[in-house]
């Protein structure tokens, strides 16, 4: 199977985001205010070729300054990978494509509030955990992860 990525409308990634990140919660819980930001972009990763290939990983990025930093920054939200394809490197491939897109749009730094359970993933992608663990409802324990693109 061929893996491919694309910048897409949020509607194309929404079901995966909701299913993975907000299981058991209403659909509205997976809508982010930032989805409508004029410079936001959403990326999908597809496992297979053609129009019927399923979205198996997704991410949203939008410009948001990281407090205390001067670099042009994009924030990552809604990174999700379907359980049946985890461990195959597809999330990493999508993130790499998303970081390249953010760099093309002028980002010098990217950051996110990532789940503690995904710390190994973020650090494996070159991000650094900053500060202490904190809890975000309804998702649970998180760290702030930061990566410089320049």
């Amino acid at each position: 199977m061929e893996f491919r990525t694309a910048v897409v409308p949020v509607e194309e990634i929404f079901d995966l985001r909701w299913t993975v990140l907000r299981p058991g919660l209403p659909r509205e819980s997976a809508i982010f205010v930032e989805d409508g930001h004029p410079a936001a972009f959403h990326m999908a990763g597809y496992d297979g070729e053609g129009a019927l290939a399923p979205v198996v990983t997704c991410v949203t990025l939008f410009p948001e300054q990281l407090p205390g930093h001067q670099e042009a920054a994009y924030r990552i939200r809604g990174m999700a990978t379907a359980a049946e394809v985890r461990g195959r490197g597809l999330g990493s491939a999508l993130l790499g494509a998303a970081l390249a897109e953010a760099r093309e749009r002028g980002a010098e730094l990217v950051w996110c509030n990532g789940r503690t359970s995904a710390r190994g993933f973020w650090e494996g992608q070159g991000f650094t955990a900053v500060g202490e663990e904190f809890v975000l409802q309804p998702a649970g324990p998180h760290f702030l992860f930061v990566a410089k693109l320049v």
Side-chain angles (χ1 to χ4, degrees), residues 26-56:
R27 285 181 62 83
E28 305 81 55
S29 68
I31 298 171
F32 304 149
V33 171
E34 299 87 359
D35 287 337
H37 188 289
F41 65 96
H42 313 279
M43 290 194 76
Y46 302 89
D47 193 16
E49 299 177 23
L52 298 179
V55 174
V56 295

mmCIF file of all heavy atoms in Angstrom, residues 26-56:
data_model
loop_
_atom_site.group_PDB
_atom_site.id
_atom_site.type_symbol
_atom_site.label_atom_id
_atom_site.label_comp_id
_atom_site.label_asym_id
_atom_site.label_seq_id
_atom_site.Cartn_x
_atom_site.Cartn_y
_atom_site.Cartn_z
ATOM 1 N N PRO A 26 -19.613 13.804 22.633
ATOM 2 C CA PRO A 26 -20.360 14.327 21.483
ATOM 3 C C PRO A 26 -19.413 14.804 20.375
ATOM 4 O O PRO A 26 -18.282 15.234 20.641
ATOM 5 C CB PRO A 26 -21.145 15.507 22.066
ATOM 6 C CG PRO A 26 -21.115 15.323 23.541
ATOM 7 C CD PRO A 26 -19.883 14.536 23.857
ATOM 8 N N ARG A 27 -19.872 14.746 19.128
ATOM 9 C CA ARG A 27 -19.080 15.198 17.976
ATOM 10 C C ARG A 27 -18.547 16.612 18.180
ATOM 11 O O ARG A 27 -17.428 16.923 17.795
ATOM 12 C CB ARG A 27 -19.910 15.147 16.691
ATOM 13 C CG ARG A 27 -20.127 13.761 16.150
ATOM 14 C CD ARG A 27 -20.936 13.764 14.865
ATOM 15 N NE ARG A 27 -20.311 14.469 13.765
ATOM 16 C CZ ARG A 27 -19.383 13.948 12.948
ATOM 17 N NH1 ARG A 27 -18.982 12.712 13.134
ATOM 18 N NH2 ARG A 27 -18.887 14.658 11.978
ATOM 19 N N GLU A 28 -19.355 17.479 18.783
ATOM 20 C CA GLU A 28 -18.957 18.874 18.973
ATOM 21 C C GLU A 28 -17.682 19.009 19.795
ATOM 22 O O GLU A 28 -16.982 20.016 19.706
ATOM 23 C CB GLU A 28 -20.058 19.680 19.674
ATOM 24 C CG GLU A 28 -21.416 19.633 19.014
ATOM 25 C CD GLU A 28 -22.201 18.369 19.367
ATOM 26 O OE1 GLU A 28 -22.410 18.051 20.556
ATOM 27 O OE2 GLU A 28 -22.590 17.676 18.406
ATOM 28 N N SER A 29 -17.376 18.001 20.607
ATOM 29 C CA SER A 29 -16.179 18.077 21.448
ATOM 30 C C SER A 29 -14.898 18.034 20.625
ATOM 31 O O SER A 29 -13.829 18.385 21.108
ATOM 32 C CB SER A 29 -16.171 16.949 22.485
ATOM 33 O OG SER A 29 -15.994 15.692 21.847
ATOM 34 N N ALA A 30 -15.000 17.624 19.363
ATOM 35 C CA ALA A 30 -13.826 17.551 18.492
ATOM 36 C C ALA A 30 -13.730 18.747 17.539
ATOM 37 O O ALA A 30 -12.867 18.778 16.674
ATOM 38 C CB ALA A 30 -13.845 16.250 17.696
ATOM 39 N N ILE A 31 -14.604 19.731 17.719
ATOM 40 C CA ILE A 31 -14.519 20.965 16.936
ATOM 41 C C ILE A 31 -13.626 21.930 17.691
ATOM 42 O O ILE A 31 -13.848 22.202 18.875
ATOM 43 C CB ILE A 31 -15.918 21.589 16.727
ATOM 44 C CG1 ILE A 31 -16.812 20.642 15.931
ATOM 45 C CG2 ILE A 31 -15.797 22.949 16.030
ATOM 46 C CD1 ILE A 31 -18.264 21.081 15.864
ATOM 47 N N PHE A 32 -12.616 22.439 17.024
ATOM 48 C CA PHE A 32 -11.701 23.402 17.636
ATOM 49 C C PHE A 32 -11.994 24.795 17.090
ATOM 50 O O PHE A 32 -12.197 24.958 15.881
ATOM 51 C CB PHE A 32 -10.243 23.051 17.333
ATOM 52 C CG PHE A 32 -9.829 21.660 17.750
ATOM 53 C CD1 PHE A 32 -8.858 20.992 17.036
ATOM 54 C CD2 PHE A 32 -10.391 21.023 18.846
ATOM 55 C CE1 PHE A 32 -8.444 19.719 17.402
ATOM 56 C CE2 PHE A 32 -9.988 19.755 19.221
ATOM 57 C CZ PHE A 32 -9.005 19.100 18.499
ATOM 58 N N VAL A 33 -11.970 25.784 17.950
ATOM 59 C CA VAL A 33 -12.156 27.172 17.528
ATOM 60 C C VAL A 33 -11.166 27.507 16.411
ATOM 61 O O VAL A 33 -11.506 28.183 15.447
ATOM 62 C CB VAL A 33 -11.966 28.128 18.727
ATOM 63 C CG1 VAL A 33 -11.943 29.576 18.281
ATOM 64 C CG2 VAL A 33 -13.042 27.901 19.763
ATOM 65 N N GLU A 34 -9.961 26.983 16.516
ATOM 66 C CA GLU A 34 -8.896 27.295 15.552
ATOM 67 C C GLU A 34 -9.145 26.702 14.161
ATOM 68 O O GLU A 34 -8.488 27.098 13.197
ATOM 69 C CB GLU A 34 -7.553 26.795 16.086
ATOM 70 C CG GLU A 34 -7.131 27.419 17.388
ATOM 71 C CD GLU A 34 -7.678 26.700 18.632
ATOM 72 O OE1 GLU A 34 -8.416 25.698 18.501
ATOM 73 O OE2 GLU A 34 -7.356 27.149 19.741
ATOM 74 N N ASP A 35 -10.074 25.768 14.034
ATOM 75 C CA ASP A 35 -10.370 25.185 12.721
ATOM 76 C C ASP A 35 -10.719 26.257 11.699
ATOM 77 O O ASP A 35 -10.435 26.114 10.515
ATOM 78 C CB ASP A 35 -11.519 24.178 12.808
ATOM 79 C CG ASP A 35 -11.118 22.878 13.489
ATOM 80 O OD1 ASP A 35 -9.918 22.552 13.512
ATOM 81 O OD2 ASP A 35 -12.031 22.195 13.999
ATOM 82 N N GLY A 36 -11.331 27.337 12.154
ATOM 83 C CA GLY A 36 -11.750 28.398 11.255
ATOM 84 C C GLY A 36 -10.727 29.503 11.058
ATOM 85 O O GLY A 36 -10.992 30.457 10.326
ATOM 86 N N HIS A 37 -9.569 29.402 11.690
ATOM 87 C CA HIS A 37 -8.528 30.425 11.528
ATOM 88 C C HIS A 37 -8.163 30.505 10.050
ATOM 89 O O HIS A 37 -7.958 29.471 9.406
ATOM 90 C CB HIS A 37 -7.312 30.053 12.372
ATOM 91 C CG HIS A 37 -6.275 31.109 12.443
ATOM 92 N ND1 HIS A 37 -5.486 31.441 11.372
ATOM 93 C CD2 HIS A 37 -5.896 31.920 13.467
ATOM 94 C CE1 HIS A 37 -4.653 32.407 11.721
ATOM 95 N NE2 HIS A 37 -4.895 32.717 12.988
ATOM 96 N N PRO A 38 -8.075 31.716 9.491
ATOM 97 C CA PRO A 38 -7.801 31.832 8.052
ATOM 98 C C PRO A 38 -6.473 31.221 7.601
ATOM 99 O O PRO A 38 -6.347 30.824 6.433
ATOM 100 C CB PRO A 38 -7.827 33.336 7.789
ATOM 101 C CG PRO A 38 -7.822 33.991 9.120
ATOM 102 C CD PRO A 38 -8.264 32.999 10.133
ATOM 103 N N ALA A 39 -5.507 31.106 8.486
ATOM 104 C CA ALA A 39 -4.214 30.522 8.104
ATOM 105 C C ALA A 39 -4.049 29.085 8.596
ATOM 106 O O ALA A 39 -2.986 28.491 8.434
ATOM 107 C CB ALA A 39 -3.063 31.390 8.621
ATOM 108 N N ALA A 40 -5.098 28.516 9.197
ATOM 109 C CA ALA A 40 -5.030 27.119 9.649
ATOM 110 C C ALA A 40 -4.981 26.200 8.439
ATOM 111 O O ALA A 40 -5.515 26.512 7.378
ATOM 112 C CB ALA A 40 -6.241 26.772 10.508
ATOM 113 N N PHE A 41 -4.314 25.063 8.623
ATOM 114 C CA PHE A 41 -4.393 24.029 7.597
ATOM 115 C C PHE A 41 -4.524 22.674 8.272
ATOM 116 O O PHE A 41 -4.074 22.461 9.380
ATOM 117 C CB PHE A 41 -3.206 24.077 6.615
ATOM 118 C CG PHE A 41 -1.859 23.777 7.190
ATOM 119 C CD1 PHE A 41 -1.321 22.493 7.117
ATOM 120 C CD2 PHE A 41 -1.094 24.779 7.783
ATOM 121 C CE1 PHE A 41 -0.064 22.214 7.629
ATOM 122 C CE2 PHE A 41 0.170 24.512 8.289
ATOM 123 C CZ PHE A 41 0.689 23.234 8.213
ATOM 124 N N HIS A 42 -5.200 21.793 7.565
ATOM 125 C CA HIS A 42 -5.502 20.447 8.053
ATOM 126 C C HIS A 42 -4.867 19.471 7.080
ATOM 127 O O HIS A 42 -4.963 19.639 5.871
ATOM 128 C CB HIS A 42 -7.013 20.231 8.102
ATOM 129 C CG HIS A 42 -7.743 21.373 8.737
ATOM 130 N ND1 HIS A 42 -7.844 21.526 10.089
ATOM 131 C CD2 HIS A 42 -8.364 22.442 8.180
ATOM 132 C CE1 HIS A 42 -8.518 22.641 10.350
ATOM 133 N NE2 HIS A 42 -8.835 23.210 9.204
ATOM 134 N N MET A 43 -4.232 18.440 7.618
ATOM 135 C CA MET A 43 -3.599 17.442 6.759
ATOM 136 C C MET A 43 -4.129 16.057 7.085
ATOM 137 O O MET A 43 -4.366 15.726 8.246
ATOM 138 C CB MET A 43 -2.079 17.468 6.911
ATOM 139 C CG MET A 43 -1.487 18.738 6.310
ATOM 140 S SD MET A 43 0.295 18.670 6.102
ATOM 141 C CE MET A 43 0.424 17.609 4.665
ATOM 142 N N ALA A 44 -4.275 15.291 6.034
ATOM 143 C CA ALA A 44 -4.720 13.906 6.156
ATOM 144 C C ALA A 44 -3.642 12.992 5.608
ATOM 145 O O ALA A 44 -2.942 13.349 4.652
ATOM 146 C CB ALA A 44 -6.017 13.690 5.369
ATOM 147 N N GLY A 45 -3.509 11.834 6.219
ATOM 148 C CA GLY A 45 -2.654 10.774 5.701
ATOM 149 C C GLY A 45 -3.546 9.625 5.288
ATOM 150 O O GLY A 45 -4.448 9.222 6.032
ATOM 151 N N TYR A 46 -3.330 9.132 4.072
ATOM 152 C CA TYR A 46 -4.166 8.076 3.491
ATOM 153 C C TYR A 46 -3.357 6.803 3.340
ATOM 154 O O TYR A 46 -2.231 6.836 2.841
ATOM 155 C CB TYR A 46 -4.668 8.495 2.102
ATOM 156 C CG TYR A 46 -5.455 9.770 2.103
ATOM 157 C CD1 TYR A 46 -4.804 10.994 1.939
ATOM 158 C CD2 TYR A 46 -6.831 9.763 2.272
ATOM 159 C CE1 TYR A 46 -5.521 12.178 1.935
ATOM 160 C CE2 TYR A 46 -7.552 10.942 2.268
ATOM 161 C CZ TYR A 46 -6.885 12.150 2.101
ATOM 162 O OH TYR A 46 -7.593 13.321 2.101
ATOM 163 N N ASP A 47 -3.941 5.702 3.724
ATOM 164 C CA ASP A 47 -3.308 4.402 3.582
ATOM 165 C C ASP A 47 -3.851 3.759 2.312
ATOM 166 O O ASP A 47 -4.859 3.067 2.337
ATOM 167 C CB ASP A 47 -3.602 3.540 4.804
ATOM 168 C CG ASP A 47 -2.739 2.301 4.870
ATOM 169 O OD1 ASP A 47 -1.718 2.240 4.159
ATOM 170 O OD2 ASP A 47 -3.086 1.393 5.633
ATOM 171 N N GLY A 48 -3.190 4.047 1.218
ATOM 172 C CA GLY A 48 -3.622 3.501 -0.057
ATOM 173 C C GLY A 48 -3.788 4.579 -1.104
ATOM 174 O O GLY A 48 -3.640 5.766 -0.827
ATOM 175 N N GLU A 49 -4.078 4.141 -2.304
ATOM 176 C CA GLU A 49 -4.224 5.052 -3.430
ATOM 177 C C GLU A 49 -5.692 5.262 -3.760
ATOM 178 O O GLU A 49 -6.543 4.482 -3.361
ATOM 179 C CB GLU A 49 -3.507 4.465 -4.655
ATOM 180 C CG GLU A 49 -2.029 4.270 -4.438
ATOM 181 C CD GLU A 49 -1.359 3.610 -5.639
ATOM 182 O OE1 GLU A 49 -1.888 3.700 -6.750
ATOM 183 O OE2 GLU A 49 -0.308 3.004 -5.435
ATOM 184 N N GLY A 50 -5.959 6.328 -4.484
ATOM 185 C CA GLY A 50 -7.301 6.550 -4.989
ATOM 186 C C GLY A 50 -8.196 7.296 -4.028
ATOM 187 O O GLY A 50 -7.879 7.487 -2.849
ATOM 188 N N ALA A 51 -9.338 7.696 -4.546
ATOM 189 C CA ALA A 51 -10.292 8.507 -3.801
ATOM 190 C C ALA A 51 -10.916 7.765 -2.624
ATOM 191 O O ALA A 51 -11.416 8.392 -1.696
ATOM 192 C CB ALA A 51 -11.381 9.012 -4.741
ATOM 193 N N LEU A 52 -10.900 6.443 -2.649
ATOM 194 C CA LEU A 52 -11.532 5.673 -1.575
ATOM 195 C C LEU A 52 -10.561 5.265 -0.463
ATOM 196 O O LEU A 52 -10.969 4.604 0.491
ATOM 197 C CB LEU A 52 -12.211 4.435 -2.151
ATOM 198 C CG LEU A 52 -13.341 4.713 -3.147
ATOM 199 C CD1 LEU A 52 -13.917 3.410 -3.669
ATOM 200 C CD2 LEU A 52 -14.421 5.578 -2.518
ATOM 201 N N ALA A 53 -9.294 5.661 -0.577
ATOM 202 C CA ALA A 53 -8.324 5.320 0.467
ATOM 203 C C ALA A 53 -8.752 5.988 1.779
ATOM 204 O O ALA A 53 -9.135 7.158 1.793
ATOM 205 C CB ALA A 53 -6.929 5.779 0.073
ATOM 206 N N PRO A 54 -8.709 5.248 2.878
ATOM 207 C CA PRO A 54 -9.158 5.822 4.148
ATOM 208 C C PRO A 54 -8.146 6.805 4.748
ATOM 209 O O PRO A 54 -6.940 6.639 4.605
ATOM 210 C CB PRO A 54 -9.307 4.600 5.051
ATOM 211 C CG PRO A 54 -8.345 3.608 4.495
ATOM 212 C CD PRO A 54 -8.317 3.847 3.006
ATOM 213 N N VAL A 55 -8.682 7.830 5.414
ATOM 214 C CA VAL A 55 -7.852 8.733 6.214
ATOM 215 C C VAL A 55 -7.475 7.951 7.470
ATOM 216 O O VAL A 55 -8.350 7.511 8.217
ATOM 217 C CB VAL A 55 -8.610 10.017 6.598
ATOM 218 C CG1 VAL A 55 -7.773 10.867 7.548
ATOM 219 C CG2 VAL A 55 -8.999 10.803 5.365
ATOM 220 N N VAL A 56 -6.171 7.751 7.699
ATOM 221 C CA VAL A 56 -5.727 6.976 8.851
ATOM 222 C C VAL A 56 -4.940 7.797 9.859
ATOM 223 O O VAL A 56 -4.669 7.331 10.967
ATOM 224 C CB VAL A 56 -4.903 5.737 8.425
ATOM 225 C CG1 VAL A 56 -5.775 4.757 7.643
ATOM 226 C CG2 VAL A 56 -3.672 6.137 7.645
#
